[in-house]
Amino acid sequence: MSKKYKAIVIGTSAGGLEALVKILMPLPKDFSLPIIIVQHISPDSDNYMTQYLNSVCDINIKEADEKEKIKAGNVYIAPPNYHLLIEENFTLSLSNQEKVNFSRPSIDVLFETAAYAYGSTLIGVILTGANNDGSKGMKLIHNFNGLTIAQDPKTAYVDNMPLAAIKATKIDYILPLEKIAELLIKIHSGQKKKK
Amino acid sequence: MSNINIDNQNINLEISLLLEAIFNKYGYDFRNYSKAHIKRRILHRLSLSGLDNISAMTHKAIYDKNFASQILLDFSINVTEMFRDPDFYFFIRKEVIPILKTYPFVKIWHAGCATGEEVYSMAILLKEENLYDRTQIYATDFNAKVIKSAKDGIYSIKNIKDFTRNYQKAGGKESFSDYYTANYNSVIIDNSLKKNIVFSEHNLVTDSVFAEVNMIICRNVLIYFNRDLQNKVMNLFNDSLVPGGILGLGTKESLQFLEKGKNYNCIDLKNKIYRKKYNV
Ligand SMILES: C[S@@+](CC[C@H](N)C(=O)[O-])C[C@H]1O[C@@H](n2cnc3c(N)ncnc32)[C@H](O)[C@@H]1O
């Protein structure tokens, strides 16, 4: 692995909270790749999910604020009822434009803007979920030569979302959740040694 | 450098030329809007248009006024609802109305009011608090089409259930159905709510202050601007607000990182309601 990755985006829907716990909990405190997440949630939910994840994980997890600079070592979660976009100057933007794929926040919106911002240095991860949001985004990440990872549909709570992504584009790794966490840790420690 | 990076650089160049053309030709300035947002909207329009590339869109926007208007509409996100974020209105009713009541006459500016739901929500609240008759509301947006719908005050009946629920959560005191007349698939807002509202076109980026007001409501507009433009618009608001005046922003917006922020006290952090200090 010679390439240096700069950020990770993760998209998930039904069954997503448990899946996120399995990926984020093993990450060490000094995991320095920023992670930006869209999880489909009901528009009037509070920030329970963010607080919960932050309480069980070692890395710092927060809800995304508009115009916030993306910092190494942070995990950002899209707030309920807002799309989360990544600017090419590596800040975060929010929008309440119409739903995309029946979703707000939408995974495609995050993934496509992230692909333009990070190009080949982006890792895209698609997890359990009941619709096909995220598959267009995964395709763009792949077209920009970023790394694409999908949860193994056989292990997903709902398999539609990883299946749709696998159908839409080339997925570099199809893995169960534990292995995805291991892979991210391996990529991260490989990069750290090099510099 | 890979081809893909060069492509993206070229796309960005084409986008900035398109924005420049729209500004020069039509006076609408989107050059300091959130770039990621603008790019998504342009690429979406490009894929619907059948044109080959963004430069072809620029050419068409220059020569075809209707196409240019279409792009302007793409940039303006008009999603809104009555009593959106009910808690915001609950706080206004409980904590802000008593402040407004100390004035003999109240002026309120709704900036970026879209199709007007937010404005009528405020009118209902003021009426229930016996303040409407001494209030003047200015409701503005730069999009002529939405200002026209706001003036009409006609909304789809589909939304009424949600609006009613919001109204109740916001501390509504009457029956929400008192405020509209239902008619087949739509409802029309009661005339008594319209009488103290002036709807007009106003562009926050290029137009100036038009009145001194006691409260400004500008929700879910600043998120589409970059920091420089947010600062610029905040200067405009600062010039318009009386000392002690109230500023209400969207739930995910904040004065925290803006230059004029130091002139304000936050009176409700969750709902992003601010009060201008007296000695600034
Ligand atoms: C998402 S809507 C917000 C509507 C309402 N304030 C709410 O929170 O429900 C954003 C509105 O801002 C308007 N807008 C965008 N740029 C503007 C500008 N430069 N000047 C005035 N209005 C603008 C758009 O036309 C749109 O109607």
Side-chain angles (χ1 to χ4, degrees):
Chain A
M1 260 170 259
S2 60
K3 193 151 71 184
K4 195 158 163 53
Y5 292 101
K6 292 203 180 114
I8 301 168
V9 287
I10 302 179
T12 182
S13 178
L17 182 55
E18 275 169 58
L20 286 172
V21 169
K22 286 203 177 135
I23 290 191
L24 299 177
M25 214 150 76
L27 301 182
K29 206 173 171 52
D30 68 346
F31 189 85
S32 59
L33 283 169
I35 303 177
I36 305 115
I37 299 175
V38 162
Q39 142 105 73
H40 293 160
I41 27 173
S42 118
D44 30 50
S45 45
D46 51 19
N47 60 357
Y48 162 78
M49 187 180 82
T50 307
Q51 282 175 6
Y52 171 71
L53 285 172
N54 194 40
S55 69
V56 298
C57 296
D58 285 340
I59 40 175
N60 184 39
I61 300 176
K62 71 181 295 286
E63 195 172 273
D65 280 317
E66 64 105 21
K67 302 290 131 59
E68 179 170 20
K69 192 133 192 72
I70 298 170
K71 290 209 189 94
N74 273 344
V75 178
Y76 303 91
I77 299 194
N81 217 10
Y82 287 84
H83 291 297
L84 176 58
L85 296 81
I86 299 192
E87 298 286 339
E88 292 176 32
N89 66 1
F90 309 116
T91 56
L92 300 173
S93 280
L94 299 173
S95 130
N96 28 39
Q97 77 164 86
E98 312 76 65
K99 293 181 176 179
V100 174
N101 306 318
F102 309 100
S103 314
R104 187 173 52 222
S106 143
I107 302 168
D108 275 339
V109 172
L110 172 67
F111 281 17
E112 289 179 7
T113 54
Y116 282 115
Y118 287 102
S120 67
T121 65
L122 182 67
I123 301 175
V125 184
I126 193 94
L127 306 176
T128 165
N131 69 5
N132 63 359
D133 192 20
S135 56
K136 274 165 90 183
M138 287 293 269
K139 188 167 174 188
L140 197 65
I141 293 173
H142 172 69
N143 289 348
F144 273 99
N145 291 322
L147 189 74
T148 50
I149 304 173
Q151 179 177 9
D152 183 346
K154 289 196 296 289
T155 70
Y157 180 73
V158 184
D159 61 8
N160 300 49
M161 225 153 75
L163 279 178
I166 292 165
K167 211 173 130 194
T169 188
K170 178 174 175 298
I171 301 294
D172 298 306
Y173 293 93
I174 300 175
L175 300 168
L177 297 169
E178 297 72 26
K179 297 279 176 208
I180 294 178
E182 278 173 29
L183 176 64
L184 296 178
I185 292 170
K186 201 172 113 198
I187 290 173
H188 174 251
S189 48
Q191 292 190 172
K192 252 190 12 184
K193 270 192 221 104
K194 251 198 216 100
K195 79 174 162 193
Chain B
M1 203 183 302
S2 74
N3 284 335
I4 288 160
N5 286 336
I6 292 169
D7 277 357
N8 192 36
Q9 280 178 10
N10 286 346
I11 289 177
N12 289 341
L13 174 60
E14 289 185 272
I15 289 174
S16 72
L17 294 174
L18 171 59
L19 299 184
E20 208 61 51
I22 289 176
F23 177 53
N24 275 299
K25 172 98 196 198
Y26 302 101
Y28 288 96
D29 189 355
F30 293 99
R31 296 173 301 173
N32 286 312
Y33 277 50
S34 146
K35 288 203 161 42
H37 161 70
I38 291 288
K39 185 173 191 162
R40 267 197 77 77
R41 304 304 278 185
I42 292 176
L43 291 176
H44 182 65
R45 179 54 49 196
L46 175 62
S47 72
L48 296 181
S49 69
L51 296 169
D52 286 338
N53 49 49
I54 299 169
S55 297
M57 285 176 73
T58 307
H59 186 268
K60 190 162 179 189
I62 293 172
Y63 287 93
D64 176 351
K65 192 161 177 260
N66 291 331
F67 187 66
S69 322
Q70 184 57 57
I71 296 177
L72 299 185
L73 287 182
D74 288 338
F75 290 164
S76 114
I77 305 296
N78 307 124
V79 180
T80 185
E81 53 191 87
M82 282 187 100
F83 294 96
R84 180 183 204 163
D85 309 313
D87 227 32
F88 176 87
Y89 292 90
F90 194 87
F91 185 89
I92 297 270
R93 193 190 283 267
K94 216 170 78 218
E95 304 290 339
V96 175
I97 293 288
I99 299 175
L100 297 180
K101 278 194 169 158
T102 63
Y103 299 108
F105 194 78
V106 181
K107 289 182 180 171
I108 300 175
W109 177 14
H110 283 267
C113 69
T115 39
E117 286 87 333
E118 168 189 285
V119 186
Y120 293 121
S121 307
M122 189 62 75
I124 290 172
L125 198 157
L126 293 165
K127 203 168 170 190
E128 293 185 357
E129 298 300 323
N130 295 316
L131 195 55
Y132 187 63
D133 285 332
R134 44 188 178 104
T135 303
Q136 172 68 60
I137 298 180
Y138 305 101
T140 64
D141 200 288
F142 79 149
N143 178 334
K145 216 168 138 181
V146 297
I147 280 294
K148 165 89 176 58
S149 328
K151 241 184 236 169
D152 292 344
I154 298 173
Y155 303 110
S156 161
I157 205 147
K158 278 198 319 244
N159 299 326
I160 289 301
K161 224 170 99 194
D162 287 344
F163 291 178
T164 307
R165 206 187 43 179
N166 282 354
Y167 166 76
Q168 285 158 352
K169 279 199 206 159
K173 292 183 170 165
E174 309 291 333
S175 154
F176 187 60
S177 57
D178 292 352
Y179 298 114
Y180 61 80
T181 316
N183 190 342
Y184 299 107
N185 297 323
S186 57
V187 304
I188 178 155
I189 295 289
D190 199 75
N191 265 329
S192 68
L193 291 172
K194 294 182 178 170
K195 64 176 190 199
N196 295 345
I197 307 174
V198 179
F199 289 99
S200 56
E201 273 179 58
H202 179 278
N203 190 329
L204 291 167
V205 183
T206 44
D207 293 333
S208 47
V209 176
F210 57 87
E212 183 174 73
V213 301
N214 307 95
M215 176 157 87
I216 295 176
I217 306 293
C218 182
R219 310 193 70 216
N220 304 301
V221 182
L222 295 182
I223 43 172
Y224 297 102
F225 299 172
N226 73 15
R227 271 275 186 266
D228 289 345
L229 191 51
Q230 290 181 347
N231 276 315
K232 187 176 154 190
V233 172
M234 215 23 238
N235 286 339
L236 197 71
F237 290 164
N238 196 60
D239 289 343
S240 174
L241 266 183
V242 300
I246 303 291
L247 174 68
L249 301 179
T251 313
K252 293 302 287 178
E253 294 162 334
S254 159
L255 284 189
Q256 200 183 345
F257 300 106
L258 299 186
E259 289 153 12
K260 282 288 183 296
K262 59 182 190 315
N263 293 0
Y264 292 77
N265 291 318
C266 182
I267 58 174
D268 184 3
L269 187 60
K270 174 166 181 256
N271 293 305
K272 303 295 158 45
I273 299 174
Y274 298 84
R275 185 159 193 200
K276 189 176 172 185
K277 295 178 184 170
Y278 280 93
N279 47 356
V280 287

